[in-house]
Amino acid sequence: MTDNLDATDPRTLPGFFDALADGTLLGGVCTDCEQVLLPPRPACYACGSRAVDVEPQAREGQVFSYTAVHTPPPGFAADAPYTIAVVELADGGRLLGRVAADYADVAIGDSVELTVRELTAAEREVALDYEVDWPVHVFEPR
Amino acid sequence: MPEPVIASVGASPLGRTDLPGRDLFSVALAEAFDGLPDPADLVEAVYVGNQSESYEHQIMHGTLLAEWAGLRYVPAERVEGCAAAGALALRHAVKDVRNGEHEAVLACGVEKMTSAGTSGATDALSAAFDRAIEQRSGVTAPSQYALLAQRYLHETDATERDLAEIAVKNHANAARNPRAQFPEEIDVATVLESDPVAPPLKLFDCAPVGDGAAAVLVTTAELAADLDRPQVRVAGSGASANNIAVAERDMTDIAGARIAAETAYEEANIDATAVDIAEVHDAFTVCEALLAEAVGFAPPGTGYQSHRAPAERADGWTDVQLSPSGGLKARGHPIGATGILQALEAYEQLTGAAGDRAVEGAETALLLNEGGVADAVTVGHVLTTAEAR
């Protein structure tokens, strides 16, 4: 089994978000089947292997699918409607995130780049204690 | 191995009601036990499908509902799997009867979704998505399914109008279902002109928020015969979990649904062509299209034709009728109760109790209940008439 995990290990969420706060997107990469895991985790969902390396991932990618949220959860109401997308990153992993563009200005295949910001005051209010310092990623059109 | 059957069903009114969850359950239970001995004289265990404690600030539904049914000192538990909770509860009951542990098990589901308005339901449902990435990006249930819909429209010949036609078909079915939350016919323009919720999905592409409870009694075939009840065989049961994050799954090949259905088919010793009716998880119109393909009713890329009469569908489609109840879309979708409501519909169809909406000659039904977005968890059941052995 995996060696002891602690909160500095990027296969845990605190470790992953610490790196993201510094601008580094870390992914797990299965050494058996090469599946990319975002965020990193102790085991590969594709093949079950626990031989997962952690490697920096490209921040550039393309929109795989997208929509806009018109009926937001409380805490996000002031931002609506806002665009979200599933982005296929250049290193092969797929990640969901906000897109800093109007829905009408986005299309499948658009190039985007991952950026990172701190939580807004409204997001802070709905964050759990341990999430307050975790950044949020946003995809910027390129 | 004892063969599990459904021996009785019941449901509360669906939609906006003035009853809390436990009372909705009491209404459903009263219908299910009409003409039967009291639950205390029959039921040996209870499973309750329930999505969220945020609606009523209440967990412990196993204990609570067993007590309200007059049952003491029986094993009783809440089963959680978002909108698949009901079918998971049914699956536990089926397994208990199959393995000989119990002769009669109550599988039920309850949700009081209207307690905190649309915003409260939106918030409660968002808990079904990955907290670290998806929730913190502001996703909602409609937006998660919209990501699938956008991709489906991109990859296939389907149009927003095709998805609207699925809603129209399911409303037409619900118009003949006295249990339906929305027993009204609608037209395509109503769907296409309704407010955007998460494009390409609009208000009338979405199942409603609503209250409801439902209960089914799962017994051995022998006990159902002793009770002189019409019985429906539970011939197959399958379940499958897939990744929690939608980004890490195939968004148009709903693999978890295929595996859950195929497991249930295998147990029932049938294939997809044997299925006459299917209650699939049409929480959003696109789901019916995707699931028709996943469970083997439709060739890839043609599931959106589910609203058409069998003769007008693409080659390779089966003759199955989808969502005769009106589906989640129009019958209603009180989250934890939905899987049980699907079983109730199949029971009524297969025992000749479906009235005006009866699908002629129906002998085999597939139930497919999902939780989270798409196949985060899927439960499939094959139900057949007692004669179809």
Side-chain angles (χ1 to χ4, degrees):
Chain A
M1 291 291 283
T2 315
D3 47 327
N4 288 337
L5 292 175
D6 62 30
T8 65
D9 191 312
R11 290 169 298 176
T12 69
L13 292 176
F16 168 75
F17 281 111
D18 274 352
L20 192 62
D22 293 336
T24 304
L25 175 68
L26 293 176
V29 179
C30 177
T31 62
D32 287 326
C33 78
E34 301 183 348
Q35 180 68 50
V36 176
L37 313 165
L38 292 171
R41 66 207 69 166
C44 172
Y45 65 79
C47 75
S49 170
R50 301 185 70 87
V52 175
D53 285 347
V54 176
E55 298 176 9
Q57 300 294 301
R59 297 152 62 109
E60 298 78 30
Q62 293 187 316
V63 172
F64 184 77
S65 193
Y66 69 105
T67 186
V69 177
H70 287 256
T71 56
F76 294 84
D79 296 346
Y82 48 88
T83 307
I84 60 173
V86 168
V87 172
E88 196 154 76
L89 295 166
D91 287 332
R94 285 213 304 237
L95 187 67
L96 179 145
R98 293 274 285 270
V99 182
D102 287 346
Y103 174 80
D105 297 332
V106 177
I108 288 175
D110 280 1
S111 292
V112 294
E113 179 169 8
L114 180 140
T115 63
V116 175
R117 63 162 173 78
E118 293 183 353
L119 299 191
T120 63
E123 287 167 350
R124 239 168 234 281
E125 268 183 43
V126 296
L128 303 172
D129 282 354
Y130 64 76
E131 295 172 333
V132 170
D133 293 328
W134 290 1
V136 168
H137 64 279
V138 177
F139 292 107
E140 296 275 355
R142 295 182 74 202
Chain B
M1 204 162 60
E3 179 176 77
V5 302
I6 295 176
S8 195
V9 300
S12 73
L14 307 177
R16 186 171 293 279
T17 73
D18 56 4
L19 292 178
R22 72 180 73 183
D23 299 321
L24 291 166
F25 165 75
S26 292
V27 174
L29 189 75
E31 184 190 358
F33 281 78
D34 184 30
L36 285 177
D38 288 339
D41 297 325
L42 277 178
V43 174
E44 298 170 16
V46 179
Y47 294 100
V48 184
N50 176 253
Q51 179 223 334
S52 180
E53 54 271 29
S54 71
Y55 299 118
E56 298 188 277
H57 203 263
Q58 180 73 67
I59 57 174
M60 300 293 286
H61 279 84
T63 296
L64 175 65
L65 300 192
E67 181 184 342
W68 251 244
L71 301 162
R72 204 177 204 181
Y73 305 130
V74 301
E77 65 185 78
R78 170 195 180 196
V79 181
E80 190 275 316
C82 196
L88 287 167
L90 173 61
R91 180 173 156 84
H92 290 320
V94 164
K95 290 171 83 163
D96 280 2
V97 171
R98 241 189 221 170
N99 70 24
E101 187 166 347
H102 299 299
E103 279 186 280
V105 182
L106 186 65
C108 53
V110 62
E111 215 71 60
K112 177 66 185 175
M113 296 181 75
T114 64
S115 63
T118 303
S119 155
T122 299
D123 195 39
L125 288 164
S126 73
F129 311 121
D130 168 58
R131 174 73 186 178
I133 302 290
E134 293 180 327
Q135 288 187 45
R136 295 173 75 249
S137 297
V139 303
T140 58
S143 67
Q144 292 280 73
Y145 279 96
L147 293 168
L148 305 189
Q150 189 84 270
R151 197 67 210 172
Y152 187 72
L153 297 181
H154 179 74
E155 291 180 12
T156 69
D157 294 334
T159 64
E160 291 185 42
R161 187 182 184 85
D162 289 311
L163 300 184
E165 295 275 14
I166 293 173
V168 169
K169 183 263 291 176
N170 287 352
H171 272 266
N173 288 349
R176 299 195 300 273
N177 183 355
R179 299 184 185 274
Q181 179 171 347
F182 288 134
E184 295 99 20
E185 298 207 16
I186 58 170
D187 59 19
V188 170
T190 301
V191 184
L192 290 176
E193 291 163 15
S194 60
D195 288 341
V197 173
L201 299 179
K202 296 160 283 291
L203 183 63
F204 274 81
D205 285 297
C206 309
V209 166
D211 306 335
V216 300
L217 180 64
V218 180
T219 69
T220 59
E222 293 72 21
L223 179 56
D226 289 347
L227 294 168
D228 200 23
R229 294 289 305 166
Q231 52 181 274
V232 164
R233 298 170 63 215
V234 185
S237 175
S240 168
N242 200 349
N243 292 27
I244 192 155
V246 71
E248 292 195 323
R249 286 183 258 150
D250 191 313
M251 290 168 60
T252 47
D253 175 14
I254 312 300
R258 185 172 67 246
I259 290 164
E262 284 178 354
T263 305
Y265 293 156
E266 253 172 58
E267 286 191 359
N269 200 25
I270 63 166
D271 63 26
T273 61
V275 176
D276 302 308
I277 56 170
E279 287 286 312
V280 299
H281 198 85
D282 61 318
F284 299 89
T285 47
V286 69
C287 304
E288 192 171 292
L290 289 167
L291 293 174
E293 296 173 21
V295 305
F297 298 153
T302 68
Y304 66 89
Q305 298 172 10
S306 70
H307 61 89
R308 299 185 191 169
E312 293 165 20
R313 298 168 179 163
D315 288 347
W317 255 93
T318 74
D319 289 342
V320 68
Q321 295 287 336
L322 285 122
S323 308
S325 70
L328 283 57
K329 174 70 196 78
R331 185 272 321 286
H333 183 28
I335 307 294
T338 288
I340 304 296
L341 287 166
Q342 291 180 326
L344 179 155
E345 174 67 14
Y347 182 85
E348 293 190 333
Q349 288 282 353
L350 300 180
T351 58
D356 290 347
R357 69 185 189 287
V359 176
E360 199 180 323
E363 292 187 342
T364 300
L366 175 72
L367 314 179
L368 202 83
N369 193 196
E370 290 183 336
V373 55
D375 56 341
V377 60
T378 316
V379 186
H381 283 100
V382 170
L383 271 50
T384 70
T385 57
E387 294 74 31
R389 281 170 202 273

